[in-house]
């Protein structure tokens, strides 16, 4: 069906993509933990998987895309200890944990819409799948890979390692891990410090707790993804993705849970997106360099020189490979803004009917047609090469140069058959719009700006009625200084222009 090759983190090599049950593809992506606003690093990861989902569909696959919402079980440290993130945020904001979940889920969806990403086809929640998670634990206990102690259940990593390889994905060595953990915990009801929680007994002050065969408690974080991916995609499915920082322990533990319960590791291909940095530093809340998507849109952040649209930010993401670290800086944003405009302008230009004249190909392809055909083919070749968006964009830039030459009259429309013009338009449209999900942001921005301008126009009108000419002149003059002109129309209305 396609010649797609994917870098598989599990085998550490690029492999031909061969779905378990073509043309169907099962894609599972670890979703957000909904206790705070998604930052722009999170957005990079989710928009990378949106591009992957879009390209799989574009290649003809029927994709079931599952991305969960973690609304329980994710504790404050990666080893499944500490307090539940939703609960601690609920205390901070004086809300119910489920109000926290709702608030940040809605916010996350809004951001994903602003970035024009498709929703997953199934978006299951951890709290909605407690029965499946409990069944999975029972299964693991039955198979000898988990044990109960004092109302909690742990995964027995050493036991698992007798049959399987804990560390297969992350390359971690179990003995080194045990040595590293020993000093840290000192707890410990676990058989080994490396064992991770499947179910945790809840102390009475825990708000989010549920009944289980082991008493009141809550699930371990890694469990939900095994339970939900298996439920919706089967024991063996195609692609599992997430950010690089989830490789260990989250994905390693998922594989262990899957093997331990079903005999299959879950996904055939594991994909990991790389981290987003700002000015060379990993973006994180503690360093004070995490920027929220809305701060890009308003420009209201000390590290930004002005507002940047979601499409500009997304274009910047797409200009590097999903598995490379990406450093966001002002220069990159400015270039992305210009680059995106150039490509969108080219698409608009080539969509003009004036180029689509009936012009049947002559016997041989012209030199420019050959170049065009090569570039269009290369877009697919690059995307088939582990979703290489950076190289694909480079081809689109070369195609936009052809459009600009047509526009400038350097290339005459007669030098290109109508088939070639259609191919040029289709390629730009397919990749920019369908595969990358880019769109012109002017329309949205203008609508918003117009709303804001109407507010100012109304305040000025009210000032005039009150004969407060100082205020009405101030509004007109200051807007003029910013290049915005107000015009009093004959019918009494006021229009504005830039
Ligand atoms: P979380 O809500 O913290 O579970 O994170 C959601 C997703 O965002 C995960 O796949 C993380 O790996 C990913 N992520 C977190 N920080 C970054 C970052 N700075 N750059 C890219 N992806 C990130
Ligand atoms: Zn997960």
């Amino acid at each position: 069906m396609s010649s797609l090759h994917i870098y598989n983190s599990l085998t550490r090599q690029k492999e031909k993509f061969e779905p378990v049950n073509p043309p169907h593809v099962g894609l599972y992506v670890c979703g957000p933990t909904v206790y705070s606003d998604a930052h722009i690093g999170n957005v990079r990861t989710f928009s990378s998987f949106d591009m992957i989902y879009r390209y799989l569909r574009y290649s003809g696959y029927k994709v079931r895309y599952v991305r969960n919402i973690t609304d329980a079980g994710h504790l404050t440290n990666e080893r499944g200890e500490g307090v539940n993130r939703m609960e601690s945020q609920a205390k901070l904001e004086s809300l119910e944990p489920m109000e926290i979940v709702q608030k940040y889920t809605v916010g996350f969806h809004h951001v994903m819409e602003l970035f024009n990403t498709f929703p997953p086809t199934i978006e299951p929640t951890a709290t909605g799948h407690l029965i499946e998670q409990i069944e999975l634990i029972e299964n693991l206990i039955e198979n000898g890979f988990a044990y109960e102690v004092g109302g909690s259940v742990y995964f027995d990593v050493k036991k698992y390692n007798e049959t399987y390889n804990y560390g297969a994905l992350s390359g971690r060595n179990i003995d080194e891990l045990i040595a590293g953990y020993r000093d840290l915990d000192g707890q410990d009801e676990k058989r080994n410090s490396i064992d991770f929680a499947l179910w945790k007994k809840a102390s009475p002050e825990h708000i989010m707790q549920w009944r289980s065969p082991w008493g009141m408690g809550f699930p371990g974080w890694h469990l939900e993804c095994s339970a939900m991916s298996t439920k919706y995609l089967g024991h063996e499915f195609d692609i599992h993705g997430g950010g690089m920082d989830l490789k260990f322990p989250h994905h390693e533990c998922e594989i262990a849970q899957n093997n331990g319960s079903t005999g299959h590791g879950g996904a055939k291909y594991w994909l990991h997106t790389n981290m987003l940095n700002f000015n060379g530093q990993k973006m994180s809340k503690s360093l004070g360099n995490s920027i929220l998507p809305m701060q890009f849109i308003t420009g209201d952040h000390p590290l930004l020189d002005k507002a940047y649209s979601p499409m500009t930010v997304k274009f910047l993401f797409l200009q590097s490979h999903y598995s490379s670290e990406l450093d966001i800086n002002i220069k990159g944003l400015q270039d992305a803004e210009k680059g995106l405009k150039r490509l969108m302008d080219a698409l608009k230009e080539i969509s003009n009917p004036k180029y689509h004249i009936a012009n049947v190909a002559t016997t041989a392809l012209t030199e420019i047609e050959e170049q065009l055909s090569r570039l269009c083919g290369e877009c697919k070749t690059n995307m088939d090469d582990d979703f290489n968006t950076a190289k694909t964009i480079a081809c689109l830039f070369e195609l936009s140069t052809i459009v600009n030459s047509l526009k400038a009259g350097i290339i005459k429309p007669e030098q290109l058959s109508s088939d070639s013009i259609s191919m040029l338009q289709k390629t730009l449209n397919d990749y920019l719009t369908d595969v990358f999900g880019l769109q012109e942001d002017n329309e949205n921005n203008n609508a918003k700006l117009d709303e804001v301008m109407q507010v100012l126009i109304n305040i000025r009108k009210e000032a005039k009625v009150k004969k407060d000419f100082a205020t009405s002149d101030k509004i007109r003059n200051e807007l003029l200084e910013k290049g915005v002109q107000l015009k009093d129309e004959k019918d009494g209305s006021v229009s504005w222009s830039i």
Side-chain angles (χ1 to χ4, degrees), residues 30-33 39 41-42 45-46 74 242-243 245-246 274-276 283:
C30 292
T33 306
H39 63 64
N42 305 133
T45 285
F46 295 122
H74 196 166
D245 55 340
L246 297 188
N274 215 325
M275 295 293 106
L276 187 73
M283 190 172 284

Side-chain angles (χ1 to χ4, degrees), residues 28-31 68 70 221-222 224-225 240 246 250-251 254:
Y28 187 93
V29 175
C30 292
N68 66 306
T70 296
W221 168 38
H222 315 306
E224 58 173 287
C225 290
H240 192 310
L246 297 188
H250 185 53
H251 291 160
E254 262 192 65

